[in-house]
Amino acid sequence: MPEPTKKDETETESAPPPPEQKTPQEGETGKGKVWSIGEGAPEETEKHDDSQRSTLFIEKPQSGSVSVGGNITFIAKVEAKDLLRKPNVKWFKGKWMDLASKAGKHLQLKESFERHSKIHTFEMHIIQAKENYAGNYRCEVSYKDKFDSCSFDLEVTESSQAAPSIDIRSAFKRSGDGQDDAGELDFSGLLKRREIKQQEEEPEVDVWELLKNANPSEYEKIAFQYGITDLRGMLKRLKRMRREVKKSAAFAKGLDPAYQVDKGGKVRFMVELADPTVELKWYKNGQEIRPSAKYIFEHKGNQRILFINNCTMTDDARYYVTAGDEKCSTELFVRDPPILVTKGLEDTNTYVGERVELSCEVSEDDANVKWFKNGVELTNEPKSRYRIKVEGKKHTLIIEEAAKNDSATYSVMTTGGQSEAKLSVDLRPLKISLALEDQTVRLGQEIHLKCEISENVEGKWYKNGQLIEASDRVKLYHKGRIHRFVIASAAVDDEGEYMFVPDAYNINIPCKVHVVDPPKLHLDGLGEGNTVTVVAGSKLRLEIPITGEPTPKVMWSKGDKWITDSGRIRAETYPDSSCLVIDAAEREDSGPFRIMLKNEAGEDTALINIKVVDVPDPPQAPNVTEVGEDWCTMTWEPPANDGGSPILGYFIERKKKQSSRWMRLNFELCKETTFEPKKMIEGVAYEVRVFAVNAIGISKPSMPSKSFVPLAVTSPPTLLAVDSVTDTSVTMKWRPPDHIGAAGLDGYVVEYCFEGTDEWIVANPELTDKTKFTINGLPTGSKILVRVKAVNAAGESEPRYHPQPILVKEVVEPPKIRLPRHLKQTYTRRVGETVNLVIPFQGRPRAKVSWQKNGSPIDKNQINIRNTENDTIIFIRKAERSHSGEYNMKVEVENLEDKATIDIQIVDRPGPPEVVTIEDVWGENVNLSWKPPKDDGNAAITGYTIQKADKKSMEWFTVMEHYHRTCATINELVIGNEYYFRIFAENMCGLSEDATMTKESALIAKDGKVYKYPVYDDFDFSERPLFTQPLVNTFAVAGYNATLNCSVRGNPKPKITWLKNKVVIMNDPKYRMFSNQGVCTLEIRKPSPYDGGTYTCQAVNELGEAEVDCKLEVKVTQ
């Protein structure tokens, strides 16, 4: 096959067939299945069962025949209805040669897909076939787990009668080294007639002997070493040769492996039997052959001969003969006789566009003839510009309208010969019948260029030297000798130099096209009425697109004044636009501006209104019309000038009068001219101001309003109740309001109305600042409703109503003394203290209170008594013991009374005990006794305090305290000393001022023994630090000082160091450290949660160190 050049674009990789499926091999039934001498017997041919495969082919490639130099196409079709993607297809020659790597000049693989029928078509084209292309081919198709395969054969017939000699080694080697056909596999050496078999030359190296004697594992190595590519064919022949060495019991001489005969000829098959009595049968493709005029059987001794007369292509088949259980097979190849060219082609000269006919004659009618142009086959397809006509033995190639590229060498080829001739196509002299004309067209009109030449040839159009291609906008027409160029709607870019150049002629037809366009202003981007709005102070750059060809002249004016290209207001002109520029626009710039365009095609003009807008003027100062507790109501007038743009709303700001900081009150525009600021502080003076807002921006602020103070009335008074009622008056009492506010409280208004009426009468024309008021002049027996209002600068509060009507009639209330709980027991006070007792009582009307002490009237010079309508007070400024006693209180209302008794005890310190006597002295002990004091201070004696004093120093030391008995033993006195003793009496007020001392002293005498003082060594007080009281975990309240305490001992005195979270506390004013008598204190001033953590106290001296720690948690009060 041809040497690979490049892979065909449609080529696809195929997955290898499943292992259990056998690949189709040569030897299947059909024409031309075996092309090598020594093919194996039919019974040894590899078998396969197509029914076991998943059938994918709907059309399989069929075997075919082609002459040397001819073309042939094999087609396989696969239905894609049940396939999700394209199947994989591979083409093989023989068993293993993948033809995808051989695609090139002589082999092309193509594929296509027809969407309507959903069929994949795969084609293999063999171009300019050679003899070595003949053989068995295979097409495999696979899709996922499906696989299908089909074998077919190609027969290549020789174009000449000469047959080269057979060289086995050259038949299997690659041929044409270094030439165009290098790399092709030459299988044709085995395609020879049986008569030439006897002329085979043995190769210099006997490959057959090598393969016979070699191990099967070395077959591939031998094939590679000697360039053998069809190893499978070699092995089959080797197998047959080995079988032929083994003598057959039935056949003394068998059939040759292959026979070849020309079509119409006669072939002779002959076998020689070992036993002539054995019945012999002949078969063709498995069908038994019966004697006839075509098939003649002949017996000569042990020879059995079969003649096949007048061989046709149907006789090309596999034959075998059976003798008993044995059989012998062969292949018969029938070849068509060569077709000769009896009259060859003739060289021809013609002009472009002329009809050309190339004719030849062959030896047979309707023979298969192939036409070639420069070696490339020409097909008689409907779309081809070449038409092949066959009339018996005459074959004609027709070209209707010859073109320049038809000049070539044309050849005709048959199986028995070929002929060639040269065709020369020249151009006719060209004449211009109608030249192009220069045109001037308006923009948007049609451009139509037309020319006529003497010849019907194609041509190209150019604009300014650039090739013009046909498009939706540009139409190119060619009919006969007339060429037209049409643009339906001319554009400015279409202006230029055009020319038409006929193909193959060195000539051009030029013309000019000039496109003109009247000037036009494009004002689509402007607003209604061609109005342009600009903000005062900003720069206006108004760009107006213009069109016109040639470019028009632009003029701007305002009123009678033309606008130049310089100044604050100026005009700038560009090829496709004009621009009006106003720097720092002013309100005076408002008005109509005129723009005028003019060129040779006409003119255009328009008025453009410029509107200069600005922020509005500030509104007038707002007025505060109403004030509440934390709100007010304000109004204002719109600004006199809205800046040329409607007012969209207002922003309101306020500030405290004494502050300079304004605060905005609304973030969404206020559409009205009233607003109610809220959340102000009562009693604080405020000012408000307003901003106006339009589409341009925010105005300056208005002048501030007059200052105002938000004030609120108080809440209603509370606990309104009836204090007393007489026949002509009602006394009411109440409590102040819960909420008074910054305006304070000026007083109260008491109002009443008679039951059944709605007329409220003011009882006090002037405000009263007291919470009690008597309504006088009321008729006895009437019922009234009462209410009270609190009044301040903001006005009157909501009234507080008495829930029930009040009857104006005095009511007798029995007396009732409400004695406080602490007076129900003895009331004790010390001498000199103040006694102030308040005893409330009830009773109406005119309760009478009287007091007695121990049954006698009270001396008002010593004790003050003050009575009111609801209580009585007994007051003693400086109590004395004489004020002690039983006080009797009596309350009388008419004939009713109530009594109560109060026991008052005035106490003082007791006097000293009476005589103190030393009862006995023994050893180191003294026994004392005494008598209680005569004056106990009007309170029980609670104990005694005993003191001693050495006679020498007379310094007193307390021996016993709070001693309850009147005798005591004093122990552990110093022998040899002489002591005095004194005793103090004690009651609830304290110790007596004086003490009673013993008149005599007590001597602790010695017993006559000499006391020997013991000798002691100096005590070592050195000690390493030891904490006797550790730190304890502590909770502290944020903002209140906290202290941490511990105690430590040690000698020498240890150095104390405090740490927080293992970090030494140094020079921090938040902490104070104390150390006194071994007590260590750390004070944390106003701790915060940050001060929480682990605190450590560390004590260090020269003997060692010790430390204690605790955790401090600081809590924040809610």
Side-chain angles (χ1 to χ4, degrees):
M1 296 304 293
E3 184 71 9
T5 57
K6 64 176 181 178
K7 276 196 174 183
D8 193 278
E9 295 180 355
T10 60
E11 171 187 308
T12 57
E13 276 299 316
S14 299
E20 70 276 10
Q21 296 174 341
K22 295 183 179 181
T23 305
Q25 304 295 336
E26 294 86 356
E28 299 179 282
T29 59
K31 287 183 60 180
K33 302 306 187 289
V34 179
W35 293 90
S36 58
I37 299 175
E39 182 63 41
E43 66 273 17
E44 296 175 7
T45 304
E46 295 179 28
K47 297 181 180 180
H48 64 278
D49 185 5
D50 290 340
S51 63
Q52 297 178 359
R53 295 190 179 95
S54 299
T55 304
L56 295 174
F57 286 116
I58 60 172
E59 181 179 329
K60 299 182 179 180
Q62 301 298 320
S63 300
S65 175
V66 66
S67 60
V68 174
N71 301 338
I72 190 170
T73 301
F74 296 96
I75 300 175
K77 293 185 178 181
V78 177
E79 188 173 11
K81 180 189 302 183
D82 299 327
L83 307 183
L84 299 180
R85 57 178 176 82
K86 184 180 69 176
N88 293 326
V89 173
K90 284 190 175 182
W91 298 86
F92 295 90
K93 181 175 183 183
K95 178 179 179 181
W96 53 270
M97 182 185 293
D98 189 349
L99 298 181
S101 61
K102 304 298 180 180
K105 181 173 67 175
H106 296 281
L107 175 65
Q108 295 181 1
L109 302 178
K110 297 182 179 180
E111 62 183 43
S112 61
F113 178 67
E114 186 176 348
R115 297 185 180 276
H116 180 69
S117 59
K118 294 186 178 180
I119 293 177
H120 289 281
T121 302
F122 301 93
E123 300 179 2
M124 181 177 72
H125 299 277
I126 297 177
I127 303 169
Q128 297 181 359
K130 299 182 180 180
E131 293 182 1
N132 59 342
Y133 291 3
N136 180 259
Y137 291 80
R138 186 173 78 258
C139 177
E140 292 182 356
V141 59
S142 62
Y143 176 79
K144 292 186 178 179
D145 57 344
K146 298 180 179 181
F147 176 78
D148 204 352
S149 176
C150 175
S151 295
F152 57 94
D153 298 294
L154 172 63
E155 177 184 357
V156 181
T157 59
E158 297 180 359
S159 58
S160 61
Q161 303 298 326
S165 60
I166 297 178
D167 181 9
I168 295 175
R169 197 167 47 172
S170 63
F172 285 91
K173 289 186 177 180
R174 298 184 182 271
S175 62
D177 293 339
Q179 300 179 13
D180 291 341
D181 293 335
E184 297 179 357
L185 298 177
D186 189 2
F187 289 88
S188 61
L190 302 179
L191 264 171
K192 309 301 174 185
R193 292 187 296 271
R194 58 187 287 275
E195 290 80 8
I196 304 177
K197 178 182 177 184
Q198 299 174 356
Q199 301 176 5
E200 292 181 2
E201 296 180 1
E202 292 296 328
E204 297 177 1
V205 178
D206 193 347
V207 179
W208 304 112
E209 292 297 329
L210 289 176
L211 291 174
K212 286 180 182 178
N213 302 323
N215 190 292
S217 62
E218 297 180 354
Y219 287 165
E220 295 288 343
K221 180 178 179 181
I222 295 173
F224 176 78
Q225 180 178 358
Y226 291 97
I228 300 172
T229 56
D230 191 6
L231 179 61
R232 177 179 172 277
M234 292 279 293
L235 294 177
K236 283 189 175 183
R237 184 172 180 183
L238 176 63
K239 188 184 298 183
R240 182 176 293 113
M241 291 177 64
R242 288 174 176 173
R243 185 174 64 252
E244 288 174 353
V245 172
K246 180 182 177 181
K247 293 184 179 180
S248 172
F251 297 99
K253 181 179 180 182
L255 295 172
D256 290 338
Y259 297 85
Q260 182 168 316
V261 64
D262 289 336
K263 182 179 179 181
K266 178 180 180 181
V267 67
R268 174 177 177 269
F269 296 152
M270 187 272 291
V271 296
E272 186 173 341
L273 299 176
D275 182 4
T277 61
V278 176
E279 183 182 0
L280 197 70
K281 292 184 180 181
W282 294 87
Y283 295 87
K284 171 186 175 183
N285 287 339
Q287 298 293 328
E288 184 178 356
I289 301 174
R290 300 294 183 182
S292 63
K294 184 176 184 66
Y295 301 103
I296 299 174
F297 296 94
E298 190 175 298
H299 293 192
K300 290 184 179 180
N302 290 345
Q303 293 181 351
R304 301 293 184 265
I305 303 172
L306 169 64
F307 292 96
I308 303 176
N309 298 320
N310 192 18
C311 291
T312 63
M313 298 305 296
T314 57
D315 296 322
D316 190 303
R318 189 178 194 83
Y319 295 83
Y320 64 88
V321 58
T322 61
D325 295 334
E326 295 190 19
K327 66 179 178 179
C328 180
S329 64
T330 186
E331 290 281 348
L332 174 62
F333 302 101
V334 180
R335 188 180 69 171
D336 286 332
I339 299 173
L340 304 178
V341 178
T342 58
K343 182 180 181 181
L345 302 175
E346 297 180 355
D347 294 342
T348 305
N349 295 322
T350 186
Y351 288 111
V352 174
E354 296 291 338
R355 176 186 171 93
V356 177
E357 293 186 1
L358 299 177
S359 300
C360 71
E361 293 183 4
V362 296
S363 58
E364 293 187 11
D365 293 338
D366 300 326
N368 186 14
V369 175
K370 294 185 180 295
W371 291 86
F372 296 88
K373 175 185 176 182
N374 291 334
V376 179
E377 184 180 359
L378 300 177
T379 59
N380 194 18
E381 296 179 355
K383 296 182 179 180
S384 175
R385 58 191 309 271
Y386 300 100
R387 188 161 57 88
I388 300 173
K389 182 179 179 181
V390 179
E391 297 175 345
K393 298 180 180 180
K394 183 178 181 181
H395 294 254
T396 305
L397 176 65
I398 302 173
I399 305 174
E400 293 294 342
E401 294 183 359
K404 186 72 175 176
N405 56 4
D406 289 329
S407 297
T409 299
Y410 292 84
S411 60
V412 62
M413 182 179 294
T414 65
T415 58
Q418 65 179 5
S419 176
E420 66 178 25
K422 291 184 178 180
L423 173 63
S424 176
V425 182
D426 297 325
L427 296 173
R428 292 180 184 274
L430 185 67
K431 295 181 180 180
I432 300 174
S433 303
L434 178 64
L436 298 176
E437 297 180 354
D438 294 342
Q439 293 187 9
T440 299
V441 297
R442 283 202 169 208
L443 189 70
Q445 293 183 347
E446 182 182 67
I447 300 176
H448 190 176
L449 304 180
K450 179 180 178 182
C451 67
E452 184 177 352
I453 55 179
S454 59
E455 297 297 328
N456 182 13
V457 295
E458 298 288 339
K460 294 180 177 60
W461 291 87
Y462 293 86
K463 174 192 171 186
N464 297 331
Q466 299 294 324
L467 178 65
I468 301 174
E469 299 288 347
S471 64
D472 294 340
R473 185 170 176 273
V474 179
K475 305 297 183 182
L476 304 180
Y477 299 98
H478 173 208
K479 186 176 181 181
R481 297 177 298 170
I482 298 175
H483 294 264
R484 292 188 299 126
F485 175 92
V486 178
I487 297 178
S489 179
V492 175
D493 294 339
D494 294 329
E495 183 172 325
E497 295 185 358
Y498 290 80
M499 66 179 177
F500 175 74
V501 179
D503 290 346
Y505 288 92
N506 188 18
I507 189 173
N508 62 76
I509 307 172
C511 73
K512 292 182 179 181
V513 175
H514 181 46
V515 180
V516 297
D517 182 23
K520 182 174 179 58
L521 291 164
H522 298 275
L523 306 176
D524 299 338
L526 301 182
E528 184 178 356
N530 293 342
T531 300
V532 178
T533 303
V534 60
V535 179
S538 62
K539 182 177 180 179
L540 171 64
R541 186 177 182 86
L542 176 60
E543 186 172 355
I544 305 298
I546 61 175
T547 57
E549 186 64 30
T551 303
K553 181 180 179 181
V554 184
M555 293 172 288
W556 286 86
S557 65
K558 181 182 181 185
D560 299 333
K561 184 179 179 181
W562 294 99
I563 298 175
T564 63
D565 58 356
S566 61
R568 188 178 65 86
I569 302 177
R570 61 187 181 275
E572 298 176 358
T573 302
Y574 301 96
D576 57 351
S577 64
S578 180
C579 190
L580 175 65
V581 180
I582 302 178
D583 293 330
E586 301 173 357
R587 291 189 180 181
E588 292 75 14
D589 296 332
S590 298
F593 285 73
R594 180 181 296 276
I595 180 174
M596 180 182 296
L597 305 181
K598 184 180 292 184
N599 71 355
E600 64 184 50
E603 66 178 30
D604 192 11
T605 183
L607 285 176
I608 299 175
N609 294 318
I610 303 297
K611 182 180 180 181
V612 181
V613 296
D614 200 355
V615 296
D617 291 342
Q620 296 296 322
N623 295 321
V624 178
T625 59
E626 189 177 356
V627 175
E629 177 182 1
D630 62 347
W631 57 271
C632 72
T633 301
M634 56 184 290
T635 62
W636 62 90
E637 294 296 330
N641 188 349
D642 62 2
S645 179
I647 299 296
L648 300 178
Y650 301 90
F651 285 122
I652 296 90
E653 291 184 348
R654 78 166 184 229
K655 76 175 183 67
K656 297 176 182 178
K657 184 178 180 180
Q658 304 301 326
S659 174
S660 60
R661 180 174 174 268
W662 289 90
M663 182 177 69
R664 178 159 293 181
L665 301 181
N666 62 317
F667 294 96
E668 293 184 1
L669 289 176
C670 176
K671 306 294 185 180
E672 307 296 332
T673 56
T674 61
F675 189 75
E676 186 176 300
K678 295 182 179 180
K679 297 184 180 179
M680 292 184 285
I681 301 174
E682 185 181 359
V684 178
Y686 287 91
E687 293 177 350
V688 292
R689 65 182 184 183
V690 182
F691 295 83
V693 181
N694 64 3
I696 307 306
I698 304 175
S699 71
K700 294 181 180 179
S702 69
M703 293 299 294
S705 67
K706 293 180 180 180
S707 63
F708 61 94
V709 178
L711 294 173
V713 297
T714 68
S715 61
T718 60
L719 302 177
L720 178 60
V722 178
D723 185 62
S724 64
V725 180
T726 67
D727 290 341
T728 58
S729 66
V730 174
T731 302
M732 305 297 297
K733 61 180 181 180
W734 60 89
R735 301 293 296 166
D738 291 335
H739 176 70
I740 295 177
L745 179 61
D746 295 339
Y748 301 95
V749 174
V750 181
E751 296 178 341
Y752 70 92
C753 73
F754 292 100
E755 187 179 23
T757 65
D758 294 333
E759 181 183 358
W760 288 92
I761 302 170
V762 178
N764 55 329
E766 295 183 359
L767 297 178
T768 178
D769 57 352
K770 301 184 181 300
T771 58
K772 187 175 182 180
F773 186 79
T774 300
I775 305 173
N776 297 309
L778 299 175
T780 303
S782 63
K783 290 185 178 182
I784 63 172
L785 298 173
V786 181
R787 68 183 184 185
V788 181
K789 299 179 183 177
V791 181
N792 66 1
E796 295 180 349
S797 71
E798 293 292 325
R800 173 68 67 183
Y801 292 89
H802 190 273
Q804 301 293 334
I806 302 171
L807 177 63
V808 183
K809 183 179 180 181
E810 192 170 24
V811 179
V812 176
E813 181 180 357
K816 177 69 175 178
I817 299 174
R818 300 189 177 277
L819 192 65
R821 180 178 299 175
H822 67 281
L823 295 179
K824 293 181 180 181
Q825 300 175 355
T826 301
Y827 183 75
T828 304
R829 279 292 181 268
R830 292 184 181 183
V831 173
E833 293 182 346
T834 300
V835 176
N836 187 14
L837 302 178
V838 180
I839 298 94
F841 61 85
Q842 295 176 350
R844 293 290 185 275
R846 295 175 296 279
K848 181 180 178 182
V849 182
S850 61
W851 285 91
Q852 288 185 345
K853 177 184 175 185
N854 298 325
S856 301
I858 293 177
D859 185 359
K860 294 183 179 180
N861 294 328
Q862 296 183 1
I863 300 173
N864 294 323
I865 301 295
R866 184 170 61 88
N867 298 322
T868 66
E869 294 181 356
N870 299 316
D871 56 29
T872 181
I873 299 174
I874 180 170
F875 178 75
I876 303 174
R877 184 175 301 277
K878 189 174 181 180
E880 297 179 359
R881 292 177 63 177
S882 59
H883 294 147
S884 299
E886 187 178 90
Y887 289 80
N888 298 314
M889 175 184 172
K890 182 169 66 173
V891 180
E892 296 177 319
V893 175
E894 296 182 354
N895 298 325
L896 303 175
E897 65 178 22
D898 191 17
K899 296 180 180 181
T901 301
I902 300 174
D903 189 7
I904 297 177
Q905 182 181 6
I906 307 300
V907 298
D908 196 2
R909 289 194 292 178
E914 293 190 12
V915 180
V916 178
T917 305
I918 298 176
E919 297 293 340
D920 191 11
V921 177
W922 73 97
E924 299 174 357
N925 307 310
V926 173
N927 188 11
L928 301 177
S929 65
W930 62 91
K931 292 182 179 180
K934 293 182 179 180
D935 183 11
D936 59 3
N938 205 22
I941 299 298
T942 59
Y944 299 92
T945 298
I946 303 172
Q947 294 182 344
K948 69 178 180 179
D950 189 358
K951 183 178 180 180
K952 295 179 181 179
S953 62
M954 289 305 292
E955 291 183 7
W956 294 96
F957 296 92
T958 299
V959 178
M960 295 181 180
E961 289 183 318
H962 311 302
Y963 189 76
H964 297 286
R965 297 182 181 181
T966 57
C967 61
T969 300
I970 310 304
N971 303 319
E972 297 181 358
L973 298 176
V974 179
I975 297 175
N977 288 357
E978 191 173 355
Y979 294 92
Y980 286 95
F981 299 91
R982 68 180 183 182
I983 299 175
F984 293 89
E986 182 180 8
N987 66 2
M988 61 181 295
C989 294
L991 295 177
S992 60
E993 294 181 359
D994 299 324
T996 302
M997 188 176 68
T998 58
K999 294 180 180 181
E1000 298 177 352
S1001 61
L1003 175 63
I1004 309 304
K1006 301 179 181 179
D1007 57 1
K1009 294 181 180 180
V1010 178
Y1011 181 74
K1012 184 178 181 180
Y1013 292 95
V1015 179
Y1016 296 100
D1017 295 334
D1018 294 338
F1019 186 76
D1020 185 8
F1021 291 93
S1022 298
E1023 182 182 9
R1024 63 177 297 168
L1026 174 67
F1027 283 93
T1028 59
Q1029 179 64 37
L1031 294 172
V1032 295
N1033 294 337
T1034 305
F1035 293 91
V1037 179
Y1040 294 88
N1041 291 358
T1043 58
L1044 304 176
N1045 299 290
C1046 63
S1047 61
V1048 64
R1049 72 184 185 191
N1051 192 19
K1053 183 178 180 179
K1055 178 181 177 181
I1056 304 301
T1057 304
W1058 287 89
L1059 300 91
K1060 176 188 175 184
N1061 296 330
K1062 305 303 181 181
V1063 178
V1064 177
I1065 301 173
M1066 296 180 62
N1067 301 326
D1068 192 337
K1070 193 174 185 68
Y1071 301 89
R1072 288 202 307 171
M1073 307 171 194
F1074 305 97
S1075 179
N1076 186 18
Q1077 299 297 325
V1079 177
C1080 303
T1081 302
L1082 174 66
E1083 183 182 47
I1084 306 171
R1085 298 180 178 179
K1086 296 182 179 180
S1088 64
Y1090 174 78
D1091 295 317
T1094 301
Y1095 286 82
T1096 304
C1097 182
Q1098 189 180 69
V1100 180
N1101 67 5
E1102 61 187 20
L1103 297 179
E1105 65 177 14
E1107 64 178 29
V1108 292
D1109 55 24
C1110 70
K1111 292 184 179 179
L1112 174 65
E1113 182 177 347
V1114 180
K1115 295 185 177 180
V1116 179
T1117 58
Q1118 299 298 325

